[in-house]
Amino acid sequence: MRIGFIGLGNMGAAMARNLLKAGHDVVLWNRNAAKADDLVGQGATLAATPAEAAQAEVVHTMLADDRALEAVSFGEQGLLSAQPDFVHVSHSTVSVKLADRLAAAHAGHGSGFVSAPVFGRPAAAADAKLFIVAAGAESALAKARPLFGDIGQRSFEIGDTPSQANLIKLSGNFMIMSVIESLAEAMALAMRGGVDKAKLLEVLTGTLFGAPIYTTYGGLLVTESFRPAGFAAPLGLKDMNLAAEAAGDARVPMPILSLVRDRLTATVQREGNDIDWLGIAKLAWADAGLDT
Ligand code: NAP
């Protein structure tokens, strides 16, 4: 299939590589075109504009945030200026409002739109082990569906309102952040009592907490893998802000969200933009007088 892929960051480059490996004809666009060099060497082609990348059956976007996705979609030579015979599959973690706006814009343009945010870090993207949460009209989903198996281990279809997939993704990221905070606090307690945090994790994950979220993030906390960032703290903060915006609009109180959002804000202030979002653990440990 001829596929466009836009956004070759930590996640997108790995996803585009897997689509290429699966035998698709992949056309790339990235703001910094040099990031496409490697994939072009492996057989992909480089488009001069997002609209050119959309001369395909399906065009995937995996961009940092609302601003990036807006620029690529609505900007001059953006996706919505392309011929309409394509389906836009949006994997970025963006706002519910932008997903609604894109769904309406694509409907007006005559192109298809699927929101398909993903769970999984760059290593999972590289191994085609992402979880994909997809929503959109059946006619658009039918084109996107066969591609999900090339980039992920499982996909979930939520319904025909694209932004509901974004709401699920934001809910999930809020849960991940709260697990990181609670794990870090538990590790601080254990370490203050002379218990190795690896031992604590071994017991937790071997008993009641054997879920991937505890094994993956617990393992990263044990090895203190704060840099280089697989998922940078400013992107995590963007997600907590988007979750807070959605909660505000729906008048849903989320006190734990408020707490972890402040933790992440403080982490970015203290540590800079290059730390992984699991860097909030450093605050819990410093507050407990632990010099890790
Ligand atoms: P990243 O490494 O920071 O890559 C961001 C991408 O967005 C790059 O291609 C960047 O282009 C592009 N971009 C940023 N601002 C832009 C703009 N104004 N106009 C055009 N392009 C722009 O981010 P990532 O870690 O791959 O994450 C991508 C998305 O996936 C985010 O929404 C994130 O929340 C979500 N996500 C990430 C993870 C993870 O663990 N990393 C997991 C699940 C979901 P340049 O190369 O030119 O800068």
Side-chain angles (χ1 to χ4, degrees):
M1 193 189 285
R2 186 174 166 86
I3 292 172
F5 202 103
I6 295 178
L8 302 173
N10 287 333
M11 297 291 287
M15 295 162 74
R17 182 169 294 108
N18 285 329
L19 289 164
L20 200 56
K21 268 197 221 158
H24 300 291
D25 178 8
V26 181
V27 187
L28 307 168
W29 186 86
N30 195 61
R31 181 179 59 176
N32 170 4
K35 285 198 191 164
D37 288 351
D38 190 29
L39 291 168
V40 167
Q42 292 169 43
T45 44
L46 186 62
T49 63
E52 194 181 313
Q55 285 168 18
E57 285 180 65
V58 171
V59 57
H60 299 254
T61 51
M62 190 44 156
L63 295 156
D65 52 19
D66 277 35
R67 197 144 55 127
L69 183 56
E70 275 169 357
V72 158
S73 301
F74 299 106
E76 211 182 311
Q77 301 186 304
L79 297 180
L80 285 148
S81 69
Q83 51 68 36
D85 307 325
F86 67 93
V87 173
H88 175 190
V89 179
S90 167
H91 296 291
S92 319
T93 308
V94 291
S95 67
V96 168
K97 282 190 180 118
L98 179 55
D100 284 336
R101 191 176 155 214
L102 278 168
H106 279 290
H109 185 60
S111 38
F113 181 65
V114 173
S115 257
V118 301
F119 286 103
R121 290 172 61 92
D127 294 344
K129 288 278 166 57
L130 294 171
F131 292 103
I132 299 151
V133 185
E138 175 52 33
S139 55
L141 270 172
K143 288 222 169 147
R145 194 176 285 130
L147 300 168
F148 292 156
D150 296 330
I151 55 173
Q153 59 176 297
R154 185 169 173 192
S155 57
F156 298 82
E157 293 186 9
I158 302 311
D160 58 10
T161 305
S163 61
Q164 289 184 348
N166 300 84
L167 201 53
I168 288 178
K169 171 63 187 167
L170 294 175
S171 304
N173 273 18
F174 153 66
M175 293 286 295
I176 297 172
M177 191 83 289
S178 39
V179 165
I180 295 170
E181 172 69 20
S182 60
L183 261 177
E185 290 180 20
M187 284 179 175
L189 180 63
M191 286 190 280
R192 280 261 48 131
V195 176
D196 186 348
K197 56 186 183 311
K199 272 286 159 218
L200 170 73
L201 187 68
E202 183 189 337
V203 174
L204 292 177
T205 55
T207 54
L208 299 177
F209 299 90
I213 184 66
Y214 291 102
T215 52
T216 302
Y217 278 98
L220 292 169
L221 287 177
V222 165
T223 52
E224 301 183 19
S225 304
F226 299 125
R227 290 185 177 89
F231 185 52
L235 288 180
L237 184 55
K238 172 257 303 177
D239 294 352
M240 296 309 100
N241 286 332
L242 294 179
E245 179 185 295
D249 287 348
R251 302 204 169 162
V252 175
M254 296 180 72
I256 294 177
L257 171 61
S258 304
L259 185 149
V260 291
R261 184 160 72 126
D262 276 351
R263 290 296 243 185
L264 205 44
T265 306
T267 300
V268 172
Q269 285 291 1
R270 283 170 178 230
E271 300 280 341
N273 289 335
D274 67 330
I275 193 162
D276 197 280
W277 71 336
L278 49 90
I280 64 164
K282 289 178 79 124
L283 282 179
W285 298 346
D287 286 354
L290 293 159
D291 184 21
T292 58

